[in-house]
Amino acid sequence: EVQLVESGGGLVKPGGSLRLSCAASGFTFNSYTINWFRQAPGKGLEWVSSISSGSTFIYYADSVKGRFTISRDNAKNSLYLQMDSLRAEDTAVYYCARLETVTHGVVFDYWGQGTLVTVSS
Amino acid sequence: DIQMTQSPSSLSASVEDRVTITCRASQSISRYLNWYQQKPGEAPKVLIYAAYSLQSGVPSRFSGSGSGTEFTLTISSLQPEDFATYYCQQSHSTPYTFGQGTKLEI
């Protein structure tokens, strides 16, 4: 069974840092691109970042570029999101999701349960 | 960035109703369009990918159509478990953008 489990969320002050983790199991982790998404309270979904299977291709949303760093450790089947210079508007539930390539484009077929990040003084 | 616009933002319906949600892209995205369902406190779940392909395990009452800039998600006969928020998402190019969501209420 494919599973993605996020951890590392919590309360942090503006300007602070936090590192999220996503532990994967049930599939060949080093064969898949994995993404981070977020959802602010009561709001819609926002794509945050993507990292390819071998970490060759990395992309960020403009809203987090220069502040967030995505990485992965294929030996540990784990994905990370280092979040620095956090702002109130980064408050959200953060999800990791597996990217699957399909006939037209890609789809995010498995998601974790999410971890809540709250940025507040 | 490609902007995705869903309509309506909310919809009231009854069990066994047929409902349709529309999603429009700000530029042509061919069939690079996915639909997700999200229930409160849960992660999104993919229903339809590549505009009209049904994800494995998803009931056949869900269907998708469209290409280019206009797409629809149809639920042929609403069931109690279908009351949720639905999002379209384009996978044509990064950033992968979502519609604002359609909340389907009883």
Side-chain angles (χ1 to χ4, degrees), chain A residues 18-87:
Chain A
L18 210 56
R19 189 195 196 206
L20 305 184
S21 299
C22 171
S25 60
F27 66 102
T28 306
F29 182 73
N30 61 14
S31 295
Y32 286 86
T33 292
I34 310 291
N35 289 248
W36 285 102
F37 294 86
R38 67 185 181 182
Q39 187 170 35
K43 302 298 184 183
L45 295 160
E46 180 186 14
W47 171 79
V48 172
S49 184
S50 175
I51 185 167
S52 62
S53 57
S55 303
T56 303
F57 302 102
I58 289 175
Y59 304 99
Y60 297 98
D62 286 347
S63 57
V64 306
K65 201 173 294 182
R67 301 187 299 121
F68 289 12
T69 303
I70 192 172
S71 62
R72 64 191 295 163
D73 184 338
N74 287 341
K76 295 183 177 179
N77 287 351
S78 292
L79 171 76
Y80 306 101
L81 186 68
Q82 176 66 39
M83 303 186 296
D84 298 320
S85 303
L86 282 161
R87 306 166 179 166

Side-chain angles (χ1 to χ4, degrees), chain B residues 50-102:
Chain B
Y52 54 75
S53 297
L54 192 67
Q55 177 73 354
S56 176
V58 174
S60 59
R61 62 180 179 272
F62 292 93
S63 64
S65 65
S67 67
T69 62
E70 188 155 334
F71 303 85
T72 59
L73 172 70
T74 298
I75 310 172
S76 59
S77 177
L78 273 174
Q79 298 302 299
E81 60 268 29
D82 299 337
F83 291 94
T85 300
Y86 294 83
Y87 294 94
C88 61
Q89 172 251 322
Q90 63 82 16
S91 67
H92 180 274
S93 56
T94 57
Y96 301 120
T97 45
F98 292 81
Q100 79 278 16
T102 295

Side-chain angles (χ1 to χ4, degrees), chain B:
Chain B
D1 297 0
I2 299 174
Q3 307 303 316
M4 306 301 294
T5 304
Q6 284 180 238
S7 61
S9 296
S10 63
L11 176 59
S12 295
S14 302
V15 173
E16 297 185 345
D17 280 355
R18 178 184 180 90
V19 299
T20 298
I21 299 169
T22 298
C23 177
R24 290 186 173 85
S26 60
Q27 66 185 70
S28 177
I29 57 171
S30 183
R31 284 178 48 199
Y32 294 76
L33 191 283
N34 306 318
W35 289 98
Y36 299 83
Q37 176 194 66
Q38 187 180 33
K39 296 179 180 179
E42 297 184 5
K45 169 190 168 185
V46 59
L47 302 173
I48 302 286
Y49 64 91
Y52 54 75
S53 297
L54 192 67
Q55 177 73 354
S56 176
V58 174
S60 59
R61 62 180 179 272
F62 292 93
S63 64
S65 65
S67 67
T69 62
E70 188 155 334
F71 303 85
T72 59
L73 172 70
T74 298
I75 310 172
S76 59
S77 177
L78 273 174
Q79 298 302 299
E81 60 268 29
D82 299 337
F83 291 94
T85 300
Y86 294 83
Y87 294 94
C88 61
Q89 172 251 322
Q90 63 82 16
S91 67
H92 180 274
S93 56
T94 57
Y96 301 120
T97 45
F98 292 81
Q100 79 278 16
T102 295
K103 187 174 184 179
L104 183 51
E105 301 173 302
I106 300 174

